[in-house]
Amino acid sequence: MNVLVVGGAGYIGSHCVRQLIAAGHRPVVLDNLVYGHRRAVPTELPFYAANLGDAETLKTILRKESIEMVMHFAAYCYVGESVTAPLKYYENNVSATLRLLGAMLEVGVKKFVFSSTCATYGSPDHLPMTEDLPQAPINPYGQTKLDVENVLKALATAHGLSFAAFRYFNAAGASEDGAIGEDHNPETHLIPLAIDAAVGKRPNLQIFGTDYPTPDGTCLRDYVHVDDLSRAHIAVFPKLGEPGQRYFYNLGTGKPFSVREIIRAVEKITGRKIPVIESPRRAGDPAALYADSSKVQRELGWKVKFPDAESIIATAWRWHSGHPNGYGDEA
Ligand code: UFG
Protein backbone atom coordinates (compact mmCIF):
# COMPACT_ATOMS: atom_id res chain seq x y z
CA MET A 1 0.00 0.00 0.00
CA ASN A 2 1.16 3.57 -0.72
CA VAL A 3 0.97 5.31 2.65
CA LEU A 4 1.54 9.02 3.28
CA VAL A 5 3.17 9.38 6.70
CA VAL A 6 2.53 12.90 7.94
CA GLY A 7 5.10 13.69 10.60
CA GLY A 8 7.21 10.78 9.37
CA ALA A 9 10.47 12.42 10.46
CA GLY A 10 9.33 12.66 14.09
CA TYR A 11 9.95 10.18 16.88
CA ILE A 12 6.98 7.83 16.46
CA GLY A 13 6.43 8.57 12.76
CA SER A 14 10.00 7.64 11.79
CA HIS A 15 9.74 4.30 13.60
CA CYS A 16 6.44 3.64 11.85
CA VAL A 17 8.05 4.37 8.48
CA ARG A 18 10.63 1.64 9.08
CA GLN A 19 7.93 -0.81 10.18
CA LEU A 20 5.94 -0.01 7.03
CA ILE A 21 8.96 -0.83 4.89
CA ALA A 22 9.54 -4.06 6.83
CA ALA A 23 5.90 -5.04 6.20
CA GLY A 24 6.27 -4.48 2.44
CA HIS A 25 4.45 -1.14 2.14
CA ARG A 26 5.64 2.01 0.38
CA PRO A 27 5.80 4.99 2.74
CA VAL A 28 5.92 8.54 1.43
CA VAL A 29 6.97 11.04 4.09
CA LEU A 30 5.73 14.56 4.70
CA ASP A 31 7.25 16.60 7.53
CA ASN A 32 7.88 20.30 7.98
CA LEU A 33 11.03 19.48 10.00
CA VAL A 34 10.13 21.89 12.81
CA TYR A 35 10.52 19.05 15.32
CA GLY A 36 11.29 16.18 12.92
CA HIS A 37 14.73 15.14 11.69
CA ARG A 38 15.48 14.58 8.01
CA ARG A 39 18.09 12.01 9.05
CA ALA A 40 15.44 9.88 10.73
CA VAL A 41 14.00 9.04 7.29
CA PRO A 42 15.72 6.67 4.83
CA THR A 43 17.15 8.76 1.97
CA GLU A 44 15.66 6.52 -0.72
CA LEU A 45 12.05 7.33 0.27
CA PRO A 46 10.00 10.14 -1.30
CA PHE A 47 10.22 13.03 1.16
CA TYR A 48 8.25 16.29 1.13
CA ALA A 49 9.26 19.15 3.44
CA ALA A 50 5.81 20.73 3.79
CA ASN A 51 3.15 21.67 6.34
CA LEU A 52 0.29 19.32 7.01
CA GLY A 53 -2.14 22.22 6.68
CA ASP A 54 -0.99 23.11 3.15
CA ALA A 55 -4.00 21.60 1.37
CA GLU A 56 -2.85 22.38 -2.18
CA THR A 57 0.53 20.70 -1.69
CA LEU A 58 -1.16 17.77 -0.01
CA LYS A 59 -3.58 17.25 -2.86
CA THR A 60 -0.69 17.28 -5.33
CA ILE A 61 1.26 14.71 -3.28
CA LEU A 62 -1.76 12.47 -2.71
CA ARG A 63 -2.39 12.33 -6.46
CA LYS A 64 1.21 12.14 -7.63
CA GLU A 65 2.15 9.33 -5.23
CA SER A 66 -1.17 7.43 -5.66
CA ILE A 67 -1.68 7.49 -1.89
CA GLU A 68 -4.22 5.00 -0.50
CA MET A 69 -3.94 5.76 3.21
CA VAL A 70 -2.68 8.57 5.43
CA MET A 71 -1.04 8.10 8.83
CA HIS A 72 -0.91 11.29 10.88
CA PHE A 73 1.75 11.82 13.57
CA ALA A 74 2.41 15.54 13.12
CA ALA A 75 1.23 17.04 16.38
CA TYR A 76 2.66 19.33 18.99
CA CYS A 77 2.83 17.22 22.12
CA TYR A 78 4.11 19.22 25.09
CA VAL A 79 1.37 19.18 27.69
CA GLY A 80 2.77 22.15 29.64
CA GLU A 81 3.21 24.31 26.52
CA SER A 82 -0.34 23.49 25.45
CA VAL A 83 -1.56 25.17 28.64
CA THR A 84 0.44 28.36 28.04
CA ALA A 85 0.11 28.50 24.22
CA PRO A 86 -3.24 26.87 23.44
CA LEU A 87 -3.71 28.61 20.07
CA LYS A 88 -0.52 27.02 18.77
CA TYR A 89 -1.97 23.63 19.71
CA TYR A 90 -5.44 24.20 18.30
CA GLU A 91 -3.97 25.63 15.07
CA ASN A 92 -1.58 22.75 14.40
CA ASN A 93 -3.29 19.80 16.03
CA VAL A 94 -6.85 20.68 15.01
CA SER A 95 -7.07 23.33 12.26
CA ALA A 96 -4.18 22.05 10.16
CA THR A 97 -5.46 18.49 10.62
CA LEU A 98 -8.87 19.59 9.30
CA ARG A 99 -7.15 20.93 6.16
CA LEU A 100 -5.29 17.63 5.75
CA LEU A 101 -8.57 15.70 6.08
CA GLY A 102 -10.30 18.05 3.64
CA ALA A 103 -7.54 17.53 1.06
CA MET A 104 -7.79 13.75 1.48
CA LEU A 105 -11.54 13.71 0.96
CA GLU A 106 -11.28 15.96 -2.09
CA VAL A 107 -8.83 13.56 -3.71
CA GLY A 108 -10.80 10.50 -2.56
CA VAL A 109 -8.34 9.07 -0.01
CA LYS A 110 -10.56 7.65 2.73
CA LYS A 111 -8.30 5.61 5.01
CA PHE A 112 -6.71 7.29 8.00
CA VAL A 113 -4.65 6.23 11.00
CA PHE A 114 -4.44 8.79 13.79
CA SER A 115 -2.05 9.19 16.70
CA SER A 116 -4.23 9.95 19.69
CA THR A 117 -3.31 9.81 23.35
CA CYS A 118 -4.30 8.57 26.78
CA ALA A 119 -4.36 12.29 27.66
CA THR A 120 -7.87 12.33 26.12
CA TYR A 121 -9.08 10.54 29.28
CA GLY A 122 -7.77 13.16 31.71
CA SER A 123 -7.50 11.79 35.26
CA PRO A 124 -9.20 8.40 35.05
CA ASP A 125 -11.48 7.18 37.80
CA HIS A 126 -10.75 3.57 36.91
CA LEU A 127 -7.54 1.58 36.33
CA PRO A 128 -6.39 -0.11 34.17
CA MET A 129 -7.90 2.14 31.52
CA THR A 130 -10.28 0.70 28.94
CA GLU A 131 -11.42 2.48 25.77
CA ASP A 132 -14.92 3.09 27.12
CA LEU A 133 -13.82 5.34 30.00
CA PRO A 134 -15.18 8.90 29.86
CA GLN A 135 -12.90 11.23 27.90
CA ALA A 136 -12.35 14.41 29.88
CA PRO A 137 -8.96 15.94 29.02
CA ILE A 138 -7.34 18.17 31.63
CA ASN A 139 -5.15 20.15 29.23
CA PRO A 140 -5.44 21.64 25.71
CA TYR A 141 -3.09 18.99 24.26
CA GLY A 142 -5.46 16.18 25.22
CA GLN A 143 -8.45 18.26 24.15
CA THR A 144 -7.02 18.84 20.64
CA LYS A 145 -6.57 15.09 20.18
CA LEU A 146 -10.11 14.42 21.39
CA ASP A 147 -11.44 17.11 19.05
CA VAL A 148 -9.85 15.34 16.10
CA GLU A 149 -11.25 11.97 17.24
CA ASN A 150 -14.72 13.55 17.19
CA VAL A 151 -14.19 15.07 13.74
CA LEU A 152 -13.11 11.65 12.46
CA LYS A 153 -16.36 10.09 13.70
CA ALA A 154 -18.36 12.75 11.87
CA LEU A 155 -16.37 12.22 8.67
CA ALA A 156 -16.89 8.46 8.89
CA THR A 157 -20.64 9.06 9.02
CA ALA A 158 -20.77 11.83 6.42
CA HIS A 159 -18.15 10.71 3.90
CA GLY A 160 -17.33 7.06 4.60
CA LEU A 161 -13.87 7.81 6.03
CA SER A 162 -12.44 4.65 7.63
CA PHE A 163 -10.10 5.32 10.49
CA ALA A 164 -8.28 3.98 13.52
CA ALA A 165 -7.27 6.24 16.43
CA PHE A 166 -4.58 4.85 18.72
CA ARG A 167 -4.46 6.28 22.22
CA TYR A 168 -0.83 5.98 23.24
CA PHE A 169 0.41 5.68 26.75
CA ASN A 170 4.11 6.58 27.24
CA ALA A 171 5.96 5.93 23.99
CA ALA A 172 9.58 5.06 24.73
CA GLY A 173 12.66 3.25 23.42
CA ALA A 174 14.37 3.25 20.05
CA SER A 175 14.80 0.98 17.03
CA GLU A 176 16.49 -2.30 17.94
CA ASP A 177 19.45 -1.66 15.65
CA GLY A 178 20.06 1.70 17.35
CA ALA A 179 19.72 3.57 14.04
CA ILE A 180 16.87 5.89 14.99
CA GLY A 181 15.56 7.03 18.35
CA GLU A 182 14.17 9.81 20.50
CA ASP A 183 15.60 13.30 19.95
CA HIS A 184 13.22 15.99 21.19
CA ASN A 185 14.14 19.61 21.61
CA PRO A 186 13.37 20.48 24.33
CA GLU A 187 13.37 17.03 25.92
CA THR A 188 10.77 16.59 28.67
CA HIS A 189 10.36 12.81 28.84
CA LEU A 190 11.55 10.76 31.77
CA ILE A 191 13.66 8.04 30.12
CA PRO A 192 15.85 10.24 27.87
CA LEU A 193 16.29 12.73 30.71
CA ALA A 194 17.30 9.93 33.09
CA ILE A 195 19.84 8.65 30.54
CA ASP A 196 21.24 12.18 30.13
CA ALA A 197 21.60 12.46 33.91
CA ALA A 198 23.25 9.02 34.09
CA VAL A 199 25.93 10.00 31.56
CA GLY A 200 26.47 13.45 33.05
CA LYS A 201 24.95 15.40 30.17
CA ARG A 202 22.62 16.90 32.77
CA PRO A 203 23.66 17.45 36.39
CA ASN A 204 20.68 15.58 37.84
CA LEU A 205 17.16 14.31 37.33
CA GLN A 206 14.25 15.90 39.13
CA ILE A 207 11.56 13.57 40.46
CA PHE A 208 8.34 15.50 40.05
CA GLY A 209 6.34 14.59 43.15
CA THR A 210 7.06 12.00 45.85
CA ASP A 211 3.74 12.31 47.69
CA TYR A 212 1.38 10.65 45.20
CA PRO A 213 -0.98 7.94 46.49
CA THR A 214 1.14 5.23 44.83
CA PRO A 215 3.31 2.49 46.39
CA ASP A 216 6.52 4.57 46.37
CA GLY A 217 4.94 8.03 46.18
CA THR A 218 5.94 8.70 42.55
CA CYS A 219 3.72 8.62 39.44
CA LEU A 220 2.88 5.37 37.70
CA ARG A 221 3.02 5.26 33.90
CA ASP A 222 2.71 2.62 31.19
CA TYR A 223 5.84 2.72 29.00
CA VAL A 224 5.32 1.15 25.59
CA HIS A 225 8.03 0.56 23.00
CA VAL A 226 7.80 2.76 19.92
CA ASP A 227 8.16 -0.24 17.58
CA ASP A 228 5.36 -2.07 19.38
CA LEU A 229 3.20 1.03 18.88
CA SER A 230 4.13 1.14 15.21
CA ARG A 231 3.25 -2.50 14.61
CA ALA A 232 -0.30 -1.91 15.84
CA HIS A 233 -0.73 0.85 13.25
CA ILE A 234 0.01 -1.63 10.49
CA ALA A 235 -1.99 -4.49 12.02
CA VAL A 236 -5.14 -2.37 11.70
CA PHE A 237 -4.90 -2.02 7.89
CA PRO A 238 -7.16 -5.01 7.07
CA LYS A 239 -9.93 -3.49 9.19
CA LEU A 240 -10.04 -0.29 7.14
CA GLY A 241 -11.08 -1.91 3.86
CA GLU A 242 -14.79 -1.06 3.99
CA PRO A 243 -16.01 2.58 4.10
CA GLY A 244 -17.06 4.16 7.37
CA GLN A 245 -15.09 1.92 9.75
CA ARG A 246 -14.03 3.42 13.09
CA TYR A 247 -11.71 1.95 15.67
CA PHE A 248 -10.26 3.23 18.94
CA TYR A 249 -7.50 1.37 20.72
CA ASN A 250 -5.43 2.00 23.82
CA LEU A 251 -1.77 1.17 23.27
CA GLY A 252 0.16 0.35 26.40
CA THR A 253 1.69 -2.77 27.88
CA GLY A 254 -0.70 -2.66 30.83
CA LYS A 255 2.17 -2.71 33.33
CA PRO A 256 2.67 0.38 35.47
CA PHE A 257 6.17 1.54 36.46
CA SER A 258 6.88 4.28 38.95
CA VAL A 259 9.34 7.10 38.34
CA ARG A 260 11.67 5.56 40.93
CA GLU A 261 11.45 2.15 39.22
CA ILE A 262 12.37 3.74 35.90
CA ILE A 263 15.34 5.49 37.49
CA ARG A 264 16.54 2.17 38.97
CA ALA A 265 16.12 0.44 35.61
CA VAL A 266 18.10 3.18 33.81
CA GLU A 267 20.84 2.88 36.45
CA LYS A 268 20.96 -0.88 35.92
CA ILE A 269 21.08 -0.70 32.12
CA THR A 270 23.64 2.12 31.96
CA GLY A 271 25.67 0.90 34.96
CA ARG A 272 25.75 4.46 36.30
CA LYS A 273 24.24 6.29 39.24
CA ILE A 274 21.66 9.01 38.57
CA PRO A 275 21.84 12.05 40.85
CA VAL A 276 18.21 12.80 41.76
CA ILE A 277 16.48 15.81 43.26
CA GLU A 278 13.08 15.28 44.82
CA SER A 279 10.96 18.16 43.54
CA PRO A 280 7.34 19.27 43.83
CA ARG A 281 4.68 17.76 41.60
CA ARG A 282 4.57 18.91 37.97
CA ALA A 283 1.27 20.62 37.19
CA GLY A 284 -1.21 18.44 35.34
CA ASP A 285 0.40 15.05 36.09
CA PRO A 286 -2.19 12.39 37.04
CA ALA A 287 -0.94 9.95 39.72
CA ALA A 288 -1.37 6.81 37.65
CA LEU A 289 -2.07 6.01 34.00
CA TYR A 290 -1.94 2.51 32.62
CA ALA A 291 -3.79 0.69 29.91
CA ASP A 292 -6.06 -2.24 29.65
CA SER A 293 -4.86 -3.28 26.21
CA SER A 294 -7.02 -6.38 25.88
CA LYS A 295 -9.07 -4.84 23.05
CA VAL A 296 -6.11 -4.28 20.73
CA GLN A 297 -4.71 -7.70 21.62
CA ARG A 298 -8.02 -9.39 20.90
CA GLU A 299 -8.98 -7.50 17.74
CA LEU A 300 -5.60 -6.92 16.08
CA GLY A 301 -3.62 -9.84 17.54
CA TRP A 302 -1.23 -7.23 18.98
CA LYS A 303 1.55 -8.63 21.14
CA VAL A 304 4.26 -6.56 22.73
CA LYS A 305 7.83 -7.54 22.01
CA PHE A 306 9.15 -5.27 24.79
CA PRO A 307 7.02 -6.07 27.85
CA ASP A 308 8.99 -4.31 30.58
CA ALA A 309 10.86 -1.13 31.33
CA GLU A 310 14.32 -2.69 31.17
CA SER A 311 13.91 -4.11 27.68
CA ILE A 312 12.60 -0.75 26.45
CA ILE A 313 15.33 1.23 28.19
CA ALA A 314 18.01 -1.08 26.72
CA THR A 315 17.01 0.06 23.21
CA ALA A 316 16.96 3.73 24.26
CA TRP A 317 20.44 3.28 25.74
CA ARG A 318 21.77 1.68 22.53
CA TRP A 319 20.48 4.66 20.52
CA HIS A 320 21.86 7.16 23.00
CA SER A 321 25.26 5.46 23.20
CA GLY A 322 25.63 5.54 19.41
CA HIS A 323 24.23 9.09 19.10
CA PRO A 324 25.06 11.04 22.25
CA ASN A 325 23.93 14.25 20.55
CA GLY A 326 20.94 12.73 18.79
CA TYR A 327 20.65 13.39 15.06
CA GLY A 328 22.99 16.35 15.48
CA ASP A 329 25.91 13.89 15.41
CA GLU A 330 25.46 12.86 11.83
CA ALA A 331 26.93 14.55 8.81
N1 UFG B 1 9.04 12.96 35.31
C1 UFG B 1 9.91 13.27 36.34
N2 UFG B 1 11.00 14.02 36.02
C2 UFG B 1 11.27 14.46 34.76
C3 UFG B 1 10.37 14.12 33.73
C4 UFG B 1 9.24 13.38 34.03
O1 UFG B 1 9.70 12.92 37.49
O2 UFG B 1 12.28 15.14 34.55
C5 UFG B 1 7.86 12.14 35.62
C6 UFG B 1 6.57 12.82 35.29
O3 UFG B 1 6.14 13.61 36.36
C7 UFG B 1 5.66 11.62 35.01
C8 UFG B 1 6.62 10.57 34.44
O4 UFG B 1 7.91 10.98 34.83
O5 UFG B 1 5.16 11.14 36.21
C9 UFG B 1 6.55 10.47 32.93
O6 UFG B 1 6.70 11.78 32.40
P1 UFG B 1 6.92 12.06 30.86
O7 UFG B 1 7.08 13.54 30.71
O8 UFG B 1 7.99 11.17 30.34
O9 UFG B 1 5.56 11.57 30.20
P2 UFG B 1 4.06 12.01 30.55
O10 UFG B 1 3.46 10.85 31.28
O11 UFG B 1 3.95 13.33 31.18
O12 UFG B 1 3.51 12.22 29.09
C10 UFG B 1 2.93 11.23 28.35
C11 UFG B 1 3.01 11.59 26.88
C12 UFG B 1 2.15 12.77 26.58
C13 UFG B 1 0.76 12.55 27.09
C14 UFG B 1 0.81 12.28 28.58
C15 UFG B 1 -0.56 12.02 29.16
O13 UFG B 1 4.36 11.87 26.53
O14 UFG B 1 2.11 12.95 25.18
O15 UFG B 1 1.61 11.12 28.79
O16 UFG B 1 -0.54 12.32 30.53
F1 UFG B 1 0.00 13.63 26.90
Side-chain angles (χ1 to χ4, degrees):
M1 183 133 53
N2 294 330
V3 183
L4 180 66
V5 185
V6 178
Y11 172 44
I12 302 173
S14 61
H15 285 80
C16 208
V17 164
R18 283 170 53 117
Q19 296 292 330
L20 281 165
I21 297 169
H25 297 288
R26 178 178 168 270
V28 172
V29 175
L30 181 140
D31 199 297
N32 66 5
L33 298 177
V34 169
Y35 289 114
H37 303 277
R38 181 66 185 90
R39 292 177 190 118
V41 182
T43 46
E44 64 273 19
L45 291 185
F47 181 88
Y48 296 90
N51 284 317
L52 81 131
D54 179 351
E56 289 311 312
T57 301
L58 275 155
K59 281 188 272 182
T60 304
I61 297 168
L62 293 170
R63 290 195 180 102
K64 182 170 165 234
E65 302 286 356
S66 305
I67 296 298
E68 296 151 89
M69 173 184 294
V70 174
M71 289 183 160
H72 177 23
F73 299 94
Y76 294 147
C77 63
Y78 295 112
V79 169
E81 184 187 52
S82 80
V83 176
T84 55
L87 281 181
K88 176 176 172 180
Y89 279 70
Y90 280 92
E91 162 51 30
N92 183 74
N93 295 7
V94 182
S95 302
T97 298
L98 296 184
R99 297 196 288 278
L100 162 69
L101 289 163
M104 284 174 55
L105 293 175
E106 221 176 302
V107 172
V109 177
K110 295 196 175 181
K111 294 179 187 172
F112 192 68
V113 177
F114 179 57
S115 264
S116 190
T117 171
C118 66
T120 58
Y121 296 110
S123 291
D125 53 15
H126 181 80
L127 289 164
M129 295 155 67
T130 47
E131 287 81 357
D132 54 7
L133 285 182
Q135 288 176 287
I138 55 172
N139 51 61
Y141 166 69
Q143 186 63 51
T144 59
K145 292 286 185 173
L146 180 57
D147 289 349
V148 173
E149 284 194 8
N150 287 330
V151 169
L152 294 176
K153 288 184 206 163
L155 296 181
T157 303
H159 303 295
L161 182 81
S162 278
F163 74 89
F166 289 103
R167 298 175 186 150
Y168 309 152
F169 283 67
N170 289 54
S175 70
E176 276 187 283
D177 61 2
I180 60 171
E182 191 166 9
D183 181 4
H184 291 117
N185 186 16
E187 187 54 77
T188 61
H189 293 113
L190 178 61
I191 292 174
L193 290 176
I195 290 176
D196 281 354
V199 299
K201 218 169 126 187
R202 292 175 194 264
N204 52 57
L205 178 76
Q206 290 187 65
I207 299 181
F208 295 139
T210 54
D211 58 349
Y212 283 99
T214 58
D216 69 14
T218 66
C219 288
L220 297 174
R221 292 288 181 275
D222 182 337
Y223 297 87
V224 53
H225 194 277
V226 63
D227 278 342
D228 282 331
L229 286 184
S230 300
R231 279 188 278 272
H233 291 62
I234 297 165
V236 82
F237 284 9
K239 289 200 162 295
L240 303 181
E242 298 297 315
Q245 304 299 308
R246 56 193 84 190
Y247 297 97
F248 300 91
Y249 295 110
N250 288 343
L251 283 182
T253 66
K255 279 194 220 149
F257 287 90
S258 73
V259 174
R260 290 193 204 278
E261 286 173 321
I262 294 293
I263 292 170
R264 278 200 293 278
V266 172
E267 287 182 333
K268 185 169 168 199
I269 298 290
T270 61
R272 303 174 199 206
K273 189 91 192 123
I274 299 174
V276 298
I277 295 182
E278 297 194 355
S279 302
R281 294 181 179 194
R282 186 172 69 177
D285 276 343
L289 296 171
Y290 51 97
D292 177 331
S293 54
S294 53
K295 184 179 177 201
V296 66
Q297 289 171 24
R298 194 174 59 246
E299 295 190 9
L300 300 188
W302 188 64
K303 288 193 184 72
V304 293
K305 189 168 173 188
F306 301 90
D308 54 68
E310 280 186 24
S311 62
I312 296 173
I313 291 165
T315 65
W317 175 233
R318 191 172 310 131
W319 152 255
H320 189 280
S321 307
H323 307 260
N325 297 309
Y327 291 102
D329 286 330
E330 292 162 38

